[in-house]
Amino acid sequence: MAGEFGATNEDARQFRAGLPEIRLHDLRHTCLTLLLSLGTPPHIAQAIAGHSHVDVTMMIYTHTGMTEQTEALRKLGEAFGSTG
């Protein structure tokens, strides 16, 4: 139930406990991003997310970090015979 300024009792308890403000949507995004980064097949992540198309899941939840980019470019270099 919302109190003054739209805050809920749950918000107040969360604040008093020193917990960060995390929305349910943030947890969903984190869960799906971690599942995909751990190698979960995209169609499984799609089913967990409830998306109608796997393209939606992949567009929203796949992120490439510097490690992945560096590895991809290293592999490309190896394919063209580069040694370093």
Side-chain angles (χ1 to χ4, degrees):
M1 172 178 279
E4 188 176 358
F5 305 114
T8 65
N9 289 336
E10 184 177 324
D11 293 334
R13 284 192 301 268
Q14 184 177 355
F15 179 78
R16 283 194 305 271
L19 297 173
E21 184 178 328
I22 300 174
R23 301 170 301 156
L24 186 57
H25 182 80
D26 297 334
L27 294 175
R28 170 187 166 91
H29 190 89
T30 300
C31 175
L32 289 162
T33 299
L34 288 172
L35 284 170
L36 290 167
S37 72
L38 292 170
T40 302
H43 70 281
I44 301 297
Q46 172 203 355
I48 291 169
H51 293 144
S52 58
H53 299 284
V54 72
D55 295 346
V56 173
T57 306
M58 297 307 288
M59 183 176 63
I60 296 171
Y61 295 103
T62 54
H63 308 285
T64 59
M66 288 302 296
T67 303
E68 291 88 356
Q69 292 175 27
T70 301
E71 180 64 12
L73 291 171
R74 184 191 62 74
K75 288 180 180 179
L76 182 62
E78 286 178 0
F80 284 103
S82 173
T83 58

